[in-house]
Structures are given as C-alpha cells and as structure tokens.
C-alpha cells in the first residue's frame, strides 16, 4: 500500500504524455484493478480583449500545497475504495496545448475510480494554493481565475 | 516580535515582493496584520484574500514570534 | 471536425499504454481544449470458486457493434459540447492487468469532458454487442456478465 | 425462404456453431424464429436473449428472404 507515503506532486513545466503512459504501464501488475479514471488539464489559447494566451506560468505556496495535496489524498482514500491515486501539477511555464494537471485513480470498479478522480480535481481547484499567470503573445499578462 | 510574511500571485505582484520579515506588536492577530498589509500595499479585492498562518488557513489566531504568515489570492490550480 | 467520420473502434488484443500517450500527444495542437477525460478498463484477476481469471477473450457482432459505436458517438456529440472523442475496445485475448477499453473525450471545460466520458462508458456497456469469455488458469472458462 | 442466422457468445457455444442458413416459411416473424431456435438448441436464460434483424434489435418484424438474424446474449463489453 502506497497510500500513506506523502508524494511529490509538483513537476517543473508541462506533464509529458509519456509520463501518463508510464504511470498506466506501472499498474499492469496490479490485477485487482478493473478501472482507471484519468483527468488531464490542458492550457487553452483563450482570447481576452483581442489578445491570446500563449502560456501559463504556475507558482504555488509549495510547502502548504504539498500538505493540502496530502490531506486530499487521505480524505479520498477514506471516502473511496480506490487501490491507488496519483496527482501531478505543473510549476513554471506551460505552453498552450501542453498539460498542467494529471489526476489518475484506479479501483476494482469503474464508478469508484471515476468518482474519486472527480473528487481530486474539484478539491485541487478549491483548496490548493496554486496561482497561474496567463501570458499573452505580447508578453503582457493577467492572473488566472478558476471558474 | 518578528514574523515572516509571504505574498503569492497577484498580491506578490502588487506588493512588489514575495517575502519580508515584519516587526509586529505582541498580541497582534493575523486579521489585524492582514488589514494593515492590505492598506500598506493597496491590495485590491481584499475580501478574496485568505491568510495562512504556519500553512493553516486561519485569521483568528494571535501571532507568535517566528510565525509564517502567507497572503493568498483565490486559488487557480488545475 | 472529425465527428462525422465513422471510426474503427476494435483493436486486436490489449490496448497498449503507448497508444494512450500517442492519442494525448495528438491533441496538443488543439488549443481550444482545456480538459481531457480518460477511462480505461483493465482485466481483473477475479476469483470464482477457487479459480482465477487469467484472460478475457473478447468477441463481438462486429458489423452491428461498429454501427452502435457510431450512433453513440453521434448522440454524444449532439448532447455534449466536446471537441473530440475516441474509443478503442479489444477483440481477442486480453490478459489480466492489460487494458481492454480506452475512452478519451476532450472539451474546453472539465465538466463536459468528464460527463461525456461517463456517457460513453455506460452506453458502450449497455448497448454494444460484445462478449467476453473469462478464461481461468486451468483453461476452463465462463462467460462474463456486466454488473 | 432462406435467412442467415448468427449466434454469439454463450449462445454460439451452446448451439455449437456461429452461423447457419435456415429455411423458414414465408411470413415467419423474428420472435417465432427465436422461440424455435431456443427450443432446438435448448438455449438457457432465453428471456435474456435479444434478436437483431439486419443489425437492428427487433423481434416484431416479419422475416424476408436474405435477412441476417443474430442471437445475442446480454452484452458484456468494457
């Protein structure tokens, strides 16, 4: 059981697709798993007043964020019968089209994996002190607000 | 009595700094410090600012020597 | 827009993790996407009367299944504001720990991608004529029933 | 009048075949053919068997020359 071990969540820059393949492949020896649910956040090229977002520069209150990620994990493992859960979030600059968030939950049954994945995504957005500076093509910026 | 104050996101940008050591009077509460710094740096949308004292969201505590107080704008992860 | 083109859903054997990475990488040029939701079905080593499942051998009424997959796609695109959707399901033998189903939906916003992904998974289980022979270690078998 | 009959999953196993061409009387309905084949092959859990005629789930139709009739046990995809 890896559920108690605090895990490093932050990665520098974008989450590469190969990391996702590797995480999935790592679970093929766990034959009590029947379903995986994955959520990926990707940087959108939003338009604001005629300017287009080209990247988001993420920063965080890292020490507190790692504590909160750990609390969210603990709560998820007590609420959902999941076999494992992995979260990765970017710090630093992530360009449009690249991935900034990777949530991965596994369970014997699909509904549990899916519900737990959604729980992580909502909790992360609501409770973790992470900030994103949306950088436009002309080098100006604005601060991202979650909807 | 000294406390470490950290600023994040748009607040760090507005304050022009990410961290400073402040001398505060014994018995000052986190919410009093919050009001003072919001005024000092003219931090906008003050009602949306949360304070974390030693990594816990809490403005009702009385500050102690060496506390770490973080000024947090609305979270925007994901 | 690729939504109208009928797509090949069935793959021979397990879905390899690299295929998932490739699918994700293929979407990094679509900068109107903000969220991907992925569901993966994995073969469980279930125990039945002291025997353990070692693989599932999938078969299907393929011509009808491809029609139904297409209908599910059409319904999903009219119900959810998704930018793309991909489904892959195994035929033939898939060993425990390997992947038999890969559903991948993308949208500007997370809730839409997640809801659409769930819709696909439930519809596929309910409406597509696919059969699974659960093969035990001793070469005996039983026919899989969906719960 | 000839129709092609296909069997899937546990039904193919029970019938010992995946496909056969059957001679049926003009005007026979799909549900009549279903009842006949379930009896012929002693197909268990008959109430859970669905018929597809030319890939459409439908037992109320009258069969026509050349129709493809599939005997489908409960679906088990995913």
């Amino acid at each position: 059981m890896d559920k108690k071990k605090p895990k490093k969540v932050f990665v520098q820059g974008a989450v590469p697709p190969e990391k996702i393949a590797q995480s999935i492949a790592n679970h093929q020896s766990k034959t009590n798993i029947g379903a995986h649910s994955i959520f990926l956040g990707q940087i959108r090229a939003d338009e604001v007043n005629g300017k287009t977002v080209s990247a988001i520069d993420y920063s965080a209150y890292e020490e507190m964020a790692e504590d909160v990620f750990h609390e969210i994990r603990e709560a998820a493992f007590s609420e959902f019968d999941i076999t494992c859960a992995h979260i990765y979030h970017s710090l630093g600059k992530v360009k449009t089209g690249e991935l900034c968030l990777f949530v991965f939950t596994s369970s014997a049954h699909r509904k549990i994996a899916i519900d737990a994945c959604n729980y992580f995504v909502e909790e992360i957005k609501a409770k973790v002190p992470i900030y994103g500076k949306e950088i436009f093509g002309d080098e100006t910026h604005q601060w991202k607000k979650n909807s | 009595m000294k406390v470490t104050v950290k600023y994040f996101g748009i607040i760090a940008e507005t304050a022009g700094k990410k961290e400073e050591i402040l001398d505060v009077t014994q018995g000052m509460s986190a919410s009093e410090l919050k009001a003072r710094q919001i005024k000092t740096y003219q931090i906008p949308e003050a009602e949306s600012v949360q304070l974390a004292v030693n990594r816990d969201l809490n403005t009702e505590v009385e500050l102690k020597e060496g506390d770490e107080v973080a000024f947090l704008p609305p979270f925007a992860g994901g």
Side-chain angles (χ1 to χ4, degrees), chain A:
Chain A
M1 292 295 294
D2 55 7
K3 91 186 213 193
K4 292 289 171 192
K5 192 175 64 182
K7 299 198 163 196
K8 195 82 189 142
V9 168
F10 288 117
V11 296
Q12 209 57 40
V15 179
E18 298 73 37
K19 188 181 188 76
I20 297 156
Q22 192 54 56
S23 291
I24 294 166
N26 287 346
H27 289 75
Q28 302 212 320
S29 57
K30 302 197 178 181
T31 56
N32 57 334
I33 292 174
H36 304 286
S37 183
I38 293 175
F39 178 83
L40 302 171
Q42 181 167 305
I43 309 296
R44 271 201 319 268
D46 279 349
E47 266 200 50
V48 183
N49 302 327
K51 298 193 287 189
T52 304
V53 170
S54 66
I56 293 182
D57 190 357
Y58 283 103
S59 56
Y61 183 10
E62 288 187 56
E63 300 86 345
M64 179 176 160
E66 294 282 2
D67 285 355
V68 177
F69 277 127
H70 185 66
E71 285 160 22
I72 294 171
R73 272 183 72 82
E74 296 285 295
F77 271 96
S78 61
E79 186 160 345
F80 302 99
D81 189 16
I82 45 178
T83 51
C84 21
H86 303 270
I87 312 167
Y88 299 98
H89 196 294
S90 297
L91 282 182
K93 217 184 244 191
V94 184
K95 294 199 286 268
T96 52
E98 293 184 328
L99 304 173
C100 58
L101 174 62
F102 170 27
V103 177
F104 183 19
T105 56
S106 308
S107 172
H109 303 287
R110 71 184 183 282
K111 198 175 168 348
I112 296 167
I114 292 168
D115 288 350
C117 189
N118 294 346
Y119 176 84
F120 273 107
V121 174
E122 296 306 320
E123 288 287 285
I124 291 165
K125 296 213 173 232
K127 295 188 176 170
V128 186
I130 299 175
Y131 303 101
K133 197 158 75 169
E134 297 177 319
I135 299 167
F136 298 108
D138 63 359
E139 295 299 311
T140 60
H141 70 263
Q142 71 175 14
W143 289 88
K144 175 174 181 273
K145 287 181 184 177
N146 273 357
S147 54

